[in-house]
């Protein structure tokens, strides 16, 4: 009995040691049932043996120890059940918990948990500060350098550091996520941009009909030239570039050889030194009027709209990795087609298709209800207060009927009632769908001319000049 009980107690450790975590519960239950069956059979056998002794032997002289024997068997069964039922889960948890803690600690604290003496830290920071290179920004007044942007520049093909980045990619992302910084690895970014160069170019310049032929190395140098000037690009080697707000200059930190400071130590203290998170307010009370334009809209955000916006961000993220890269692509496109920036005419066909004629007859696709909302606002250049949208229900019904060709009046009535009901979010949702339809086709500075927006408590409207709108005879 003791061997069986002992095996049951070490069973979870055996299972978990061989990484059979998914099977552990099933194995433990199987052995638990088997053990209880064994206990019952053993008890019945012992009971039968003792019962026979009661009738065959002298009952008066042997009854007391035999009854104690029976009680001992019952106690053994109860104790065995309790031990297996309680201790097995405890064993599983005790084996899982330290492993989970070790895993979390590794994921969260790989760089922060690095042991580094204060002397080594001070030596690194002093040396880094003394050897930092500074460059004046050559960007125009339309671009404000992002002090939280850290760019890894690799113009010397530093394979050793590249291997470190690949090995600890997730650790670095986790480490940076706990700071205010965002990180752009310039070489992969340029490689990805070249891999999708025509798609990227068409997204930022739908007005152009140009075939591009970019090269990754050339793209990296052009990217850097837009920030620090072409004359300074050749002075960069392998290291980190960021905007130093104290000097109002770009600062370049050149990576040290690994035998001098390990790459992990350099990353840890460079990003810790660069992080401005501690100097930033965590919370701030502001007037709604002081919020950025898009954040003080009357469009409230329920779960459905948040899902739409998340989808939208995911699409844009395929073309934009960060603010500085977005600016760079705009500059690159402008260099390819100088002075070509153009807002397209918008044509509404007889079939209510939406076509941008100056963007290679680009077709903008929307759901019927979103298209109804778009065409309604397009017919009202003066804008509409959202709280007054119900006053325009007959006009909206008429547009919706023409687009869909539906004749079921009751269903149409219910659909439009939901749309203009201020207690529901259908109008907000479809305004967001309109924005998604345009911004999925081309970049924000162009798309904002076509979708519905407006400041808080003011009429919402489409900014597109109406002399650019063409209505076919419908």
């Amino acid at each position: 009995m003791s061997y069986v009980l002992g095996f049951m107690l070490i069973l979870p450790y055996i299972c978990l040691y061989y990484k059979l975590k998914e099977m552990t519960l099933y194995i433990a239950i199987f052995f638990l049932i088997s053990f209880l069956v064994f206990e019952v059979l053993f008890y019945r056998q012992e009971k039968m043996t003792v019962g026979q002794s009661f009738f065959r032997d002298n009952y008066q002289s042997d009854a007391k120890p035999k009854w104690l024997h029976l009680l001992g068997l019952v106690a053994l069964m109860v104790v065995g059940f309790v031990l297996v039922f309680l201790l097995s889960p405890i064993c599983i948890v005790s084996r899982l918990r330290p492993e989970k803690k070790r895993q979390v600690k590794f994921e969260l604290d790989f760089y922060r948990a690095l042991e580094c003496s204060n002397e080594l830290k001070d030596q690194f920071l002093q040396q880094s500060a003394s050897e930092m290179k500074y460059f004046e920004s050559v960007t125009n007044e339309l671009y404000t350098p992002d002090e939280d942007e850290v760019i890894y520049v690799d113009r010397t093909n530093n394979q050793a550091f590249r291997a470190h980045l690949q090995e600890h990619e997730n650790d670095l992302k986790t480490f940076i996520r706990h700071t205010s910084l965002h990180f752009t690895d310039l070489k992969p970014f340029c490689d990805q941009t070249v891999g999708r160069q025509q798609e990227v170019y068409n997204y930022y310049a739908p007005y152009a009909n140009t075939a591009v032929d970019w090269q990754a190395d050339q793209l990296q140098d052009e990217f850097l030239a837009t920030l620090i000037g072409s004359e300074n690009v050749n002075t960069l080697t392998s290291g980190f570039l960021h905007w130093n707000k104290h000097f109002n200059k770009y600062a370049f930190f050149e990576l040290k050889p690994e035998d001098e400071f390990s790459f992990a130590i350099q990353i840890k203290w460079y990003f810790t030194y660069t992080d401005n998170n501690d100097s930033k307010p965590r919370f701030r009370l502001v007037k709604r009027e002081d919020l950025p334009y898009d954040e003080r809209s009357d469009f409230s955000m329920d779960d459905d709209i948040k899902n739409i916006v998340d989808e939208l961000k995911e699409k844009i993220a395929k073309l934009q990795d960060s603010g500085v890269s977005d600016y760079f692509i705009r500059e690159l496109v402008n260099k390819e087609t100088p002075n070509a920036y153009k807002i397209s005419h918008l044509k509404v066909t007889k079939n209510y298709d939406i076509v941008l004629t100056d963007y290679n007859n680009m077709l903008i696709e929307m759901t019927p209800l979103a298209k109804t909302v778009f065409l309604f606002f397009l017919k009202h250049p003066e804008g509409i207060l959202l709280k007054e949208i119900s006053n325009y229900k007959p006009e909206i019904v008429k547009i919706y009927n023409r687009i869909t060709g539906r004749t079921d009046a009751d269903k149409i009535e219910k659909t439009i009632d939901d749309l203009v009901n201020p207690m529901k979010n259908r109008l907000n949702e479809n305004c967001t769908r309109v924005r998604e339809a345009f911004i999925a086709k081309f970049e924000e500075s162009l798309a904002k001319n076509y979708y519905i927006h407006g400041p808080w408590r003011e009429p919402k409207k489409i900014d597109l000049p109406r002399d650019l709108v063409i209505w076919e005879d419908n």
Side-chain angles (χ1 to χ4, degrees):
M1 180 66 67
S2 59
Y3 293 108
V4 175
L5 184 60
F7 178 75
M8 286 299 300
L9 291 176
I10 66 171
L11 176 64
Y13 285 92
I14 297 174
C15 296
L16 292 169
Y17 179 79
Y18 289 103
K19 308 299 181 184
L20 299 176
K21 296 178 182 177
E22 297 82 3
M23 298 296 295
T24 302
L25 182 59
Y26 300 102
I27 296 173
I29 292 174
F30 171 79
F31 276 94
L32 175 60
I33 295 173
S34 301
F35 180 72
L36 293 177
V37 170
F38 170 79
E39 289 265 59
V40 171
L41 293 176
F42 180 81
Y43 166 75
R44 291 181 61 184
Q45 179 64 35
E46 286 293 312
K47 180 179 178 182
M48 184 181 300
T49 303
V50 175
Q52 291 174 353
S53 299
F54 286 161
F55 294 102
R56 295 180 183 177
D57 299 333
N58 185 353
Y59 176 78
Q60 294 297 330
S61 59
D62 298 331
K64 186 175 180 179
K66 289 173 182 176
W67 277 110
L68 289 176
H69 191 186
L70 284 174
L71 291 174
L73 289 176
V74 174
L76 177 63
M77 184 182 72
V78 173
V79 172
F81 178 87
V82 171
L83 287 175
V84 175
F85 188 80
L86 295 180
L87 294 184
S88 290
I90 292 175
C91 294
I92 295 174
V93 172
S94 65
R95 182 71 171 90
L96 278 175
R97 190 172 180 81
E99 184 168 296
K100 184 177 182 180
K101 281 185 175 180
R102 285 194 298 272
Q103 183 179 4
V104 170
K105 183 176 179 60
F106 178 80
E107 290 179 352
L108 296 182
D109 299 331
F110 175 79
Y111 288 105
R112 286 186 292 177
L114 288 174
E115 294 185 2
C116 178
S117 65
N118 290 331
E119 181 180 353
L120 183 63
K121 171 186 171 182
D122 293 340
Q123 179 185 349
F124 171 77
L125 294 178
Q126 290 174 6
Q127 186 174 343
S128 301
S130 62
E131 297 178 1
M132 197 82 72
K133 298 178 182 178
Y134 294 94
F135 305 96
E136 298 285 350
S137 172
V138 298
T139 53
N140 58 45
E141 65 278 1
L142 298 178
Y143 173 70
T144 302
D146 184 356
E147 65 188 55
D148 294 329
E149 176 84 23
V150 175
I151 304 167
Y152 173 55
V153 179
D154 184 14
R155 299 188 70 255
T156 59
N157 196 21
N158 191 334
Q159 293 295 329
F161 187 71
R162 180 67 58 191
H164 177 86
L165 286 180
Q166 292 175 352
E167 180 181 357
H168 298 285
E169 179 181 5
N170 292 331
D171 302 317
L172 181 58
K173 288 180 180 178
T174 303
F175 180 57
I176 292 176
R177 196 159 52 238
H178 288 80
T179 69
S180 65
L181 304 172
H182 44 274
F183 177 63
T184 298
D185 190 346
L186 190 54
K187 183 173 175 52
F189 166 74
C190 291
D191 290 339
Q192 293 166 11
T193 303
V194 167
R196 303 191 314 273
Q197 55 184 303
Q198 199 62 53
E199 176 190 359
V200 171
Y201 182 80
N202 292 340
Y203 184 80
Y204 281 84
Y207 42 79
N209 190 14
T210 304
V212 293
D213 183 21
W214 297 333
Q215 304 298 321
D217 292 340
Q218 177 186 359
L219 212 60
Q220 179 177 235
D221 288 351
E222 290 188 18
F223 179 101
L224 296 169
T226 61
L227 302 180
I228 62 174
S230 56
E231 68 279 5
N232 295 317
V233 171
N234 289 331
T235 65
L236 304 183
T237 52
S238 175
F240 299 113
L241 182 71
H242 80 277
W243 178 256
N244 189 306
K245 65 177 182 179
H246 300 293
F247 293 96
N248 287 323
K249 294 180 179 181
Y250 276 103
F252 180 73
F253 163 75
E254 184 175 3
L255 283 168
K256 309 292 188 297
E258 193 169 18
D259 55 0
E260 185 175 348
F261 296 101
S262 72
F263 289 143
I265 290 293
Q266 293 186 64
I267 288 175
K268 173 180 179 176
W269 292 117
Y270 174 79
F271 280 89
T272 302
Y273 169 76
T274 308
D275 184 21
N276 302 301
N277 195 44
D278 292 339
S279 62
K280 295 182 178 180
R282 300 299 178 93
F283 303 98
R284 182 177 57 179
L285 296 176
V286 297
K287 297 179 181 179
R288 190 180 182 105
E289 292 81 356
D290 295 333
L291 291 173
Y293 183 75
D294 289 337
E295 292 184 23
R296 49 191 170 98
S297 168
D298 292 316
F299 299 135
S300 59
M301 297 282 284
D302 65 2
D303 291 338
D304 290 337
I305 297 182
K306 286 179 181 178
N307 290 335
I308 296 172
V309 174
D310 289 342
E311 294 173 10
L312 181 61
K313 289 180 179 178
E314 184 178 351
K315 291 179 181 179
I316 298 174
K318 295 179 180 179
L319 298 171
Q320 299 174 215
D321 291 329
S322 62
V324 68
S325 60
D326 181 52
Y327 169 80
F328 163 65
I329 294 177
R330 292 176 197 270
E331 291 295 300
L332 189 63
V333 168
N334 291 337
K335 185 181 294 185
E336 293 281 349
T337 52
N339 303 317
Y341 182 93
K342 184 178 183 179
I343 301 174
S344 173
H345 287 78
L346 183 147
K347 181 171 69 174
V348 182
T349 69
K350 293 180 180 180
N351 298 324
Y352 293 94
D353 290 331
I354 300 170
V355 180
L356 301 182
T357 57
D358 300 318
Y359 293 170
N360 300 308
N361 289 320
M362 180 185 293
L363 178 65
I364 305 298
E365 298 178 348
M366 302 180 195
T367 63
L369 199 55
K371 186 179 292 186
T372 298
V373 172
F374 173 74
L375 295 181
F376 168 74
F377 277 92
L378 196 64
K379 289 177 177 289
H380 291 272
E382 74 282 2
I384 301 292
L385 286 169
L386 295 188
K387 65 180 181 179
E388 298 177 356
I389 194 72
S390 59
N391 298 336
Y392 300 86
K393 178 183 172 182
E395 181 182 350
I396 296 173
V397 170
K398 185 177 179 180
I399 296 173
Y400 186 68
N401 282 342
R402 288 183 177 181
I403 292 174
T404 61
R406 292 173 57 179
T407 58
D408 44 347
D410 292 341
K411 291 185 178 179
I412 292 174
E413 189 80 10
K414 175 67 166 61
T415 299
I416 303 304
D417 281 343
D418 290 344
L419 181 68
V420 300
N421 187 344
M423 302 303 294
K424 295 189 177 182
N425 233 5
R426 295 290 287 169
L427 180 60
N428 296 346
E429 177 184 335
N430 283 279
C431 288
T432 307
R433 286 291 184 193
V434 171
R435 180 173 184 247
E436 178 188 21
F438 286 100
I439 207 169
K441 293 288 189 178
F442 43 85
E443 57 94 16
E444 175 77 20
S445 67
L446 289 169
K448 69 181 181 181
N449 294 289
Y450 298 93
Y451 60 72
I452 305 155
H453 61 160
W456 183 48
R457 290 181 179 176
E458 294 184 19
K460 303 297 176 287
K461 61 183 179 178
I462 297 173
D463 291 338
L464 182 68
R466 293 313 187 264
D467 59 347
L468 296 179
V469 179
I470 304 169
W471 295 90
E472 286 193 348
D473 185 16
N474 49 23

